[in-house]
Amino acid sequence: MLRKLALMMAMAMVIAIASAAYMGGVVSADEPDYNDLDVIVELLHNLEAADDPDAAFLALPLEAQNAIITAFATRTTLDVEESGGASKGQLRISKADDPNDPEPERCDTHIISVTKRLAGLKIYTYKTKTRWCFNGRIITQTPSFNVYARLHWKVWWEFVGHLSTSESGGKGERTHTDSAQGHFKNCPPGAGCVHYYPSIEKTQTANGKKSSVSHEE
């Protein structure tokens, strides 16, 4: 009888300590740290693999749901990459040029890509590409301008469309400017939608220089 009473008292003490730890905000060693982006990304990969990602998300602890929503809203980064150029990184001299022309035509490519990420997880890429030719005095041909959107992460994310594209200058001018803005949205279950608008503006010149400005609203 005494042994049974002692065992019951010991169990009661364990429960009391556990309750006090919980009320005091002490996290169990086995409980995930939802402030850790690696933990959040792992949760997202598990949701992607689920038969019903929405149901799997709603089955998570509320703390985990909030961590995922907050991470998408406030903890992403926007990486900007510039690339382009003719083969081997050199400006190409057009074969149609007169070899005696002191200002032969040259052509180049101007590419800007903006990629939204959550830690190591790619969400989307928005890209514009411009091909233009020039001779040091003017732009010699009508530039080609193309816009691309790619959704890498498709759970609750959607590419809505291109909001705007525009060009100014070009053939016969000293500069060519182009711009584009896209529209993506993120709609986790029960949380409404958050909208994102990446923008890219680029300028190319008659002497082969190029510049750009990129941002997200």
Side-chain angles (χ1 to χ4, degrees), residues 16-190:
I17 292 172
S19 298
Y22 176 80
M23 294 299 292
V26 177
V27 178
S28 165
D30 295 330
E31 184 177 343
D33 179 4
Y34 296 121
N35 289 317
D36 187 336
L37 283 179
D38 289 337
V39 171
I40 294 173
V41 169
E42 183 178 356
L43 284 173
L44 288 170
H45 283 304
N46 291 339
L47 292 173
E48 182 185 34
D51 293 335
D52 186 342
D54 287 5
F57 173 78
L58 295 172
L60 290 173
L62 185 58
E63 185 182 0
Q65 295 181 30
N66 290 336
I68 290 171
I69 293 170
T70 301
F72 275 138
T74 66
R75 303 184 68 182
T76 57
T77 59
L78 197 69
D79 299 337
V80 180
E81 179 182 359
E82 181 171 6
S83 58
S87 59
K88 299 183 180 178
Q90 300 296 319
L91 298 175
R92 180 181 62 81
I93 298 177
S94 171
K95 293 181 180 178
D97 290 331
D98 183 344
N100 298 317
D101 187 347
E103 295 181 324
E105 180 186 69
R106 296 176 294 173
C107 298
D108 199 359
T109 303
H110 191 191
I111 303 171
I112 298 293
S113 300
V114 293
T115 300
K116 191 175 187 68
R117 301 174 186 268
L118 178 63
L121 183 74
K122 280 186 179 182
I123 300 172
Y124 70 69
T125 297
Y126 197 64
K127 179 173 75 173
T128 69
K129 177 180 178 181
T130 305
R131 174 79 171 172
W132 88 109
C133 298
F134 51 93
N135 63 10
R137 294 177 292 107
I138 60 171
I139 294 173
T140 55
Q141 300 180 33
T142 300
S144 64
F145 171 53
N146 296 284
V147 186
Y148 310 90
R150 181 180 178 186
L151 197 60
H152 304 281
W153 182 258
K154 299 180 180 179
V155 178
W156 312 322
W157 281 82
E158 177 184 344
F159 174 61
V160 181
H162 301 292
L163 284 185
S164 64
T165 60
S166 66
E167 295 181 75
S168 62
K171 185 176 180 179
E173 305 288 338
R174 289 198 56 80
T175 62
H176 171 260
T177 297
D178 53 68
S179 64
Q181 184 175 47
H183 179 192
F184 295 82
K185 66 179 181 179
N186 174 34
C187 306

